[in-house]
Amino acid sequence: MIICVCNRINCRSVREAVESGARSPNAVQSHHGCKFNCGKCSTMIGDMISEHMDRCVPQTQVLAAE
């Protein structure tokens, strides 16, 4: 699915940038040598970054105090 119509960036391209270390919508655009035009895609890109980070962060175990 196309995420950024202005720069023709699709879901796969966003995931590739995030897996390469992009941690913001601007970093995703930069990864592909682009800049935002209209910016309508920034929320969707941010959501995709958040989802990726949520999957990658190890769950901290909570231990009960004695």
Side-chain angles (χ1 to χ4, degrees), residues 48-61:
M48 292 178 72
I49 293 168
S50 294
E51 289 171 10
H52 174 80
M53 297 306 293
D54 287 345
R55 285 191 307 270
C56 292
V57 174
Q59 296 296 322
T60 307
Q61 291 185 340

Side-chain angles (χ1 to χ4, degrees), residues 6-66:
C6 298
N7 293 307
R8 299 186 63 144
I9 297 175
N10 61 22
C11 291
R12 184 182 304 162
S13 298
V14 172
R15 283 192 298 270
E16 174 189 303
V18 174
E19 289 171 2
S20 294
R23 295 296 179 257
S24 70
N26 284 329
V28 170
Q29 292 283 346
S30 293
H31 177 83
H32 293 291
C34 306
K35 291 184 180 181
F36 284 110
N37 288 326
C38 73
K40 290 181 181 179
C41 61
S42 63
T43 301
M44 177 66 89
I45 293 172
D47 290 345
M48 292 178 72
I49 293 168
S50 294
E51 289 171 10
H52 174 80
M53 297 306 293
D54 287 345
R55 285 191 307 270
C56 292
V57 174
Q59 296 296 322
T60 307
Q61 291 185 340
V62 178
L63 303 175
E66 290 185 32

